Amino acid sequence: MASDASRDALDAIARAESGLVLASLVASLRDLDLAEDAWQDAVESALVHWPQDGVPRRPAAWLTVAARRRAVDRLRHRAMQADKASALRAGELLRRAEQSLLESEEPVDERLRLIFTCCHPALPLEARVALTLRTLGGLSTEAVARAFLVPVATLAKRLERAKAKIRAARIPYRVPAPAEWGERLAAVLSVLYLIFNEGYSATAEDSATRRSLCDEAIRLAHALAALVPGDGEIHSLLALMLLHDARREARYGPDGGLVPLDQQDRGRWRRDEIAEGLAALRAAAACANRGAYQVQAAIAAAHVLAPTGADTPWRTIARLYAELESLAPTPVVRVNRAVAEGRACGPDAGLALLDDLHAGDAARALSAYPPYHAAYADLLRLAGRTREAERAYRAAIELCSAEPERRFLASQLAGLVDRAG
């Protein structure tokens, strides 16, 4: 049997190959549950044989062949125990599994098909995220549940419902047609960015699994960019995530409070990751389509390229946010644009942009959004409207559930009160 150390090492190898092998199995078997069961059997077999025989030169090929054989074994057993109707289904799957044994040992890269299936619009967003991490990310059900702070049983039911929906709705296991490409790719990218943001919002006190979601999202984006190298928005999302992730360790101070971007210690930024992000942004710029992710990545690049916080090119950033708002006209984008305009042209310019949000649907949407109240408070502070700023800071603190943000807002409020007193 493998020791704990060797098991961890073998687990890491298996996990690195999981998306490639599992996608190939699903393509052959057309049954996600069977493919997952066969994959787990192959991993367990590897944990028995590899410590004795050594890690094979081609781990993916070894795991693929082992999984195909275990699929055949499972289906033969299922066929013997099934009633007539179930036997027909098992027989069909068995023929596919036996045929797969005649295929090349090397798994065919079918990850693009699998990610479009996992992120199909017919599935609820929470199910898309869970399926993507479970199948392509190689995370266990327990790990995904820990990352999203839900009970394991809840996450397991969510996955089962998603797979049942795929079967019942006969969601095709294919890359979408050109006419569907834009909408379907947007759904995939939104899932990857949601996964990243879940990890990015984690603090040092959160589980390592939750914080590792950033790494998973970046890894999947790298894979997607390699599969579809001509799409600018894929490269743009990859650039955006890398440029944000490069600053992750500098986001919190010694007291655990949030440190604003322009006040962060640039010495703690990961320069290798910034260089990689800028290279991805250049790759995006070479593609035909300039979309919202490219504009967001350009904003992130403008921040990280400034030598100091005082050198932040706020006018450039404000122009980019105006472009972003034309592509994605949401109240959240307007709030961010207002902050940039306030820094570029003075607080009154930022407040004027927020004035449009004080009524109607936008006001209702933002009333429970802490960053809106925090941005409003900061602009009011800069404009010298102290009493109004105090009220806005208190509203932001009351709504904010994240402790680092609460500490930062509380320190801003305390400083304002001290100066007023």
Side-chain angles (χ1 to χ4, degrees):
M1 295 296 291
S3 68
D4 286 345
S6 63
R7 184 181 180 93
D8 288 345
L10 297 175
D11 270 341
I13 294 171
R15 183 174 166 194
E17 305 289 0
S18 64
L20 178 63
V21 176
L22 188 58
S24 178
L25 290 171
V26 176
S28 298
L29 302 171
R30 305 284 168 163
D31 186 303
L32 186 52
D33 281 326
L34 177 61
E36 286 190 321
D37 289 341
W39 163 252
Q40 290 301 325
D41 290 342
V43 170
E44 289 301 318
S45 181
L47 292 174
V48 172
H49 290 95
W50 290 4
Q52 301 169 5
D53 306 332
V55 176
R57 186 170 56 86
R58 297 176 299 159
W62 193 101
L63 290 162
T64 299
V65 172
R68 288 171 180 168
R69 288 173 177 160
R70 289 298 296 134
V72 169
D73 292 342
R74 280 178 171 274
L75 288 168
R76 285 175 177 162
H77 181 72
R78 189 186 300 180
M80 287 190 296
Q81 295 186 325
D83 56 32
K84 185 174 181 180
S86 299
L88 289 173
R89 167 68 174 157
E92 178 187 350
L93 288 172
L94 180 58
R95 283 190 293 275
R96 288 179 186 164
E98 289 175 334
Q99 179 63 34
S100 74
L101 290 175
L102 304 176
E103 298 171 1
S104 167
E105 291 184 353
E106 293 292 345
V108 177
D109 196 336
E110 301 282 8
R111 286 175 294 177
L112 192 58
R113 286 193 193 189
L114 184 56
I115 197 168
F116 276 108
T117 301
C118 291
C119 298
H120 196 281
L123 300 173
L125 181 58
E126 59 186 16
R128 296 180 219 168
V129 171
L131 266 182
T132 300
L133 286 173
R134 180 74 183 85
T135 57
L136 286 150
L139 295 181
S140 67
T141 301
E142 292 77 10
V144 179
R146 284 197 303 272
F148 286 92
L149 309 178
V150 298
V152 173
T154 299
L155 197 283
K157 289 177 183 176
R158 190 176 295 172
L159 288 167
E160 285 306 312
R161 285 195 297 269
K163 288 185 278 190
K165 176 75 172 181
I166 290 172
R167 290 192 298 269
R170 298 190 177 183
I171 292 174
Y173 181 74
R174 64 174 175 82
V175 175
E180 306 172 72
W181 179 260
E183 179 184 356
R184 293 290 305 282
L185 181 62
V188 170
L189 296 182
S190 68
V191 166
L192 295 187
Y193 198 32
L194 190 154
I195 291 170
F196 176 84
N197 281 323
E198 282 294 325
Y200 196 64
S201 65
T203 66
E205 289 76 30
D206 285 314
S207 70
T209 301
R210 185 165 178 229
R211 284 182 278 120
S212 72
L213 289 176
C214 289
D215 301 327
E216 289 301 326
I218 290 170
R219 187 169 69 84
L220 290 170
H222 268 299
L224 192 57
L227 292 167
V228 193
D231 191 280
E233 281 295 81
I234 298 173
H235 292 290
S236 297
L237 177 60
L238 176 58
L240 177 62
M241 293 191 295
L242 286 166
L243 293 172
H244 282 327
D245 194 58
R247 301 185 293 98
R248 197 190 334 177
E249 298 306 317
R251 294 181 68 227
Y252 303 108
D255 65 345
L258 183 72
V259 180
L261 198 161
D262 59 350
Q263 298 175 30
Q264 289 173 10
D265 178 359
R266 281 161 162 72
R268 298 182 66 192
W269 291 359
R270 291 184 53 183
R271 293 294 164 181
D272 57 336
E273 202 166 13
I274 289 174
E276 189 181 356
L278 294 174
L281 184 55
R282 287 193 294 272
C287 298
N289 56 325
R290 178 180 172 90
Y293 287 119
Q294 188 170 339
V295 178
Q296 291 178 78
I299 293 168
H303 279 292
V304 300
L305 288 172
T308 68
D311 296 313
T312 301
W314 286 111
R315 290 185 182 275
T316 297
I317 291 170
R319 285 196 298 271
L320 287 168
Y321 269 119
E323 181 185 357
L324 181 60
E325 190 173 19
S326 71
L327 295 169
T330 68
V332 171
V333 173
R334 171 60 69 88
V335 169
N336 285 284
R337 181 186 169 193
V339 171
E341 288 284 357
R343 294 296 186 93
C345 304
D348 289 339
L351 289 168
L353 286 172
L354 290 183
D355 285 343
D356 294 342
L357 303 178
H358 290 170
D361 292 340
R364 286 190 290 274
L366 293 171
S367 62
Y369 183 59
Y372 162 70
H373 296 281
Y376 193 44
D378 194 51
L379 289 169
L380 289 168
R381 176 183 63 82
L382 293 172
R385 295 160 61 176
T386 304
R387 295 304 178 194
E388 294 170 89
E390 286 181 23
R391 288 195 294 271
Y393 274 126
R394 288 193 172 93
I397 292 168
E398 184 177 346
L399 290 166
C400 188
S401 59
E403 186 58 30
E405 283 83 350
R406 285 178 62 88
R407 289 180 185 175
F408 170 73
L409 291 169
S411 69
Q412 292 291 95
L413 176 60
L416 196 64
V417 171
D418 287 345
R419 285 192 295 273

